[in-house]
């Protein structure tokens, strides 16, 4: 899979179903043949992975020493609520109510692509988060990205 890009506004119907936007669906050709996986984010949003990307996350978790309490807790909380989503013939997915409640997602949704995953936000919460952009984004970029040539990354 190539990296995902884009931001999409969607609406949920009264049954908790969401139509996958056509522009996003083109970037997820495997969604028709394999399921997607939705899970809790680290904040009040949800994360959607392709099955292939989710399996990579599980492979990472499987390498942790499961006799260490912090690892067990992390695995438990990271995988909590993970649900497979199947795309129906109309191009919709049925979203679990428990996850929607966790993230405070109403009928207006923003899907924002983040490299190999898709964050799913309640539209109002997303707009509030985006409005809190750091005053000096260039400084944040410097701190996070730094001089990657020194690290052997170009």
């Amino acid at each position: 899979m190539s990296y995902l890009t884009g931001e999409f506004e969607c609406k949920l119907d009264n049954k908790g179903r969401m139509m996958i936007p056509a522009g996003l669906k083109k970037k997820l050709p495997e969604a028709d043949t394999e399921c997607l996986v939705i899970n809790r984010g680290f904040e009040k949003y949800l994360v959607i992975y392709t099955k292939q990307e989710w399996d990579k996350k599980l492979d990472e978790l499987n390498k942790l020493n499961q006799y260490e309490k912090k690892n067990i807790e992390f695995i438990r909380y990271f995988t909590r609520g993970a649900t497979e989503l199947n795309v129906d013939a109309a191009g919709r997915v049925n979203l679990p109510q428990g996850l929607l409640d966790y993230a405070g997602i109403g009928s207006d949704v923003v899907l924002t692509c983040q490299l190999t995953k898709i964050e799913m936000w309640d539209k109002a919460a997303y707009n509030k988060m985006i409005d809190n952009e750091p005053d000096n984004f260039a400084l944040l970029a410097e701190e996070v990205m730094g001089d990657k040539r020194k690290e052997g990354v170009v």
Side-chain angles (χ1 to χ4, degrees):
M1 178 180 85
S2 61
Y3 292 113
L4 298 168
T5 56
E7 190 174 283
F8 305 89
E9 291 188 12
C10 306
K11 289 209 175 275
L12 300 185
D13 68 14
N14 58 358
K15 294 182 181 178
R17 295 178 300 194
M18 178 185 71
M19 179 77 68
I20 297 178
L24 180 57
K25 195 169 182 187
K26 287 179 188 176
K27 298 173 188 206
L28 299 168
E30 62 273 21
D32 285 334
T33 56
E34 295 182 17
C35 65
L36 299 170
V37 177
I38 191 166
N39 198 23
R40 297 167 184 254
F42 291 120
E43 298 172 50
K44 294 293 183 179
Y45 61 88
L46 303 176
V47 182
I48 300 172
Y49 300 92
T50 63
K51 179 71 166 107
Q52 181 180 6
E53 285 299 316
W54 178 250
D55 286 346
K56 288 179 187 178
K57 295 292 179 200
L58 295 181
D59 287 343
E60 288 178 53
L61 294 176
N62 195 41
K63 292 176 185 172
L64 296 175
N65 181 344
Q66 294 183 33
Y67 293 100
E68 292 182 19
K69 185 175 183 293
K70 67 181 175 184
N71 293 350
I72 294 168
E73 288 178 348
F74 180 76
I75 292 167
R76 182 178 298 132
Y77 292 116
F78 183 80
T79 59
R80 182 176 172 219
T83 304
E84 291 185 357
L85 301 175
N86 293 302
V87 181
D88 69 14
R92 298 173 301 196
V93 290
N94 192 18
L95 301 164
Q97 189 62 48
L99 290 178
L100 294 173
D101 291 344
Y102 160 80
I105 293 175
S107 62
D108 293 321
V109 173
V110 175
L111 301 176
T112 178
C113 297
Q114 302 291 316
L115 304 173
T116 60
K117 67 182 187 238
I118 303 160
E119 290 182 356
M120 180 179 189
W121 290 79
D122 177 76
K123 185 177 179 180
Y126 180 75
N127 289 336
K128 183 177 179 183
M129 184 268 303
I130 289 299
D131 287 345
N132 288 321
E133 181 177 323
D135 292 332
N136 191 338
F137 184 69
L139 180 60
L140 176 62
E142 181 181 342
E143 289 175 6
V144 171
M145 298 305 291
D147 188 352
K148 294 297 181 188
R149 290 174 288 173
K150 291 178 184 175
E151 299 172 19
V153 178
V154 178

